[in-house]
């Protein structure tokens, strides 16, 4: 894990060179508060650099540094750094986390992030940023359920969910995972999961349906992921008491009695794997 420690910069140029994406407040703290300058002076300097094309405004209060010699409108702005800066506790999650880790089956310009705060989706150039509140049972926990890491990336630091939390999250809210085929194909590219962490996080969510989905996925991939009986039993005792549909749209399928889960045939047979 890499902690987000920043250097004490001596000038705006120094700050910009080490902060590819930053908030207005971060600049004020580094340039005004730390150096005894007025906020007014720092705001003026920020405006001057923006007007000069040294910076690009991503949205109100959020900026990206433009490399020297690059046109402001053509500068590449890393979407994972942007997502991490959209809230103090923002964490890249769901399909965006799979994509960050290089395990998404399909590439998407939709970047979902978790936060305790409610927010609105917005677009910046070709990317859409979608806020999702942490699941209700986790919002009051100091670590919001854990399963997040900080990783250096593109000159900055990205907060992102681990493989283990991502597996559970996309099964918990599949619409943010890209649908069942995308979820299955993406997760099947991950070579290893800490299954104790998967089980622990699944149970924190307090959802019998999510328990069943995770249990079914692990059982279906039992040999490849080296799933033990104890992992399945820990989940099975929290599975639904009555049959539930894998999909909230109630797509017909076959009842997998061990999990009380009605699973569509295409997911049971992984029908997409048969397509050449």
């Amino acid at each position: 894990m890499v902690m987000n420690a920043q250097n004490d910069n001596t000038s705006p140029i120094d700050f910009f060179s080490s902060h590819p994406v930053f908030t207005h407040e971060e600049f004020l703290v580094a340039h005004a508060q730390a150096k005894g300058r007025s906020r007014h002076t720092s705001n003026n300097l920020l405006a001057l650099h923006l007007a000069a094309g040294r910076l690009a405004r991503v949205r109100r209060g959020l900026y990206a540094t433009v490399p020297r010699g690059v046109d402001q409108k053509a500068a590449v702005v890393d979407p994972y750094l942007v997502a991490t800066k959209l809230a103090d506790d923002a964490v890249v999650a769901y399909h965006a986390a799979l994509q960050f880790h290089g395990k998404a089956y399909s590439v998407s310009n939709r970047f979902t992030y978790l936060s305790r705060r409610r927010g609105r989706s917005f677009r910046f150039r070709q990317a859409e940023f979608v806020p999702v509140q942490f699941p209700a049972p986790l919002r009051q926990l100091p670590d919001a359920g854990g399963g997040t890491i900080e990783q250096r990336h593109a000159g900055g630091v990205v907060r992102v969910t681990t493989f283990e939390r991502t597996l559970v999250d996309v099964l918990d809210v599949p619409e943010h995972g890209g649908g069942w085929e995308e979820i299955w194909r993406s997760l099947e590219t991950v070579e290893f999961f800490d299954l104790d962490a998967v089980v622990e996080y699944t149970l924190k969510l307090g959802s019998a349906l999510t328990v069943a989905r995770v249990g079914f996925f692990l059982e279906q991939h039992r040999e490849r992921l080296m799933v033990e009986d104890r992992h399945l039993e820990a989940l099975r005792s929290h599975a639904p008491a009555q049959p539930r549909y894998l999909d909230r749209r109630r797509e017909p399928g076959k009842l997998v009695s061990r999990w009380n889960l009605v699973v569509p045939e295409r997911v049971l047979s992984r029908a997409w794997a048969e397509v050449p």
Side-chain angles (χ1 to χ4, degrees), residues 2 21 32 57 68 122 131 158 211 239 267:
V2 178
V21 178
R57 180 183 280 115
R68 195 176 299 278
F122 82 99
V158 171
V211 164
V267 179

Side-chain angles (χ1 to χ4, degrees), residues 89 94 112-119 130-140 144 165 169 172-173 176 201:
D89 60 351
Y94 300 102
T112 307
Y113 65 95
L114 286 162
S115 174
R116 288 184 175 84
R117 303 179 186 177
R118 289 184 180 275
V130 181
V132 177
Q133 279 192 292
F134 284 109
L138 308 180
R139 287 174 205 160
Q140 301 309 313
R165 177 163 182 159
D169 282 346
D172 180 49
V173 192
H176 294 315
Y201 177 68

Side-chain angles (χ1 to χ4, degrees), residues 150-179:
E150 292 184 334
Q151 188 166 320
R152 291 202 180 279
H153 172 76
V157 174
V158 171
R159 282 191 302 275
V160 61
T161 54
T162 61
F163 283 127
E164 291 74 22
R165 177 163 182 159
T166 304
L167 180 153
V168 180
D169 282 346
V170 294
L171 293 174
D172 180 49
V173 192
E175 54 265 37
H176 294 315

Side-chain angles (χ1 to χ4, degrees), residues 184 212-220 256 259 261 263 267-268:
W184 250 247
R213 288 169 173 168
V214 172
F216 170 72
F217 181 87
L218 293 183
E219 192 166 65
Q220 191 182 52
V256 180
W259 301 105
L261 194 64
V263 181
V267 179
L268 260 175

Side-chain angles (χ1 to χ4, degrees), residues 223-244:
E223 183 175 343
R224 186 179 70 82
L225 295 179
M226 295 179 289
V227 181
E228 300 175 14
D229 286 341
R230 64 186 181 87
H231 297 126
L232 298 176
E233 289 306 318
L235 293 171
R236 194 171 288 130
S237 60
H238 296 272
Q242 301 295 327
R244 302 283 298 276

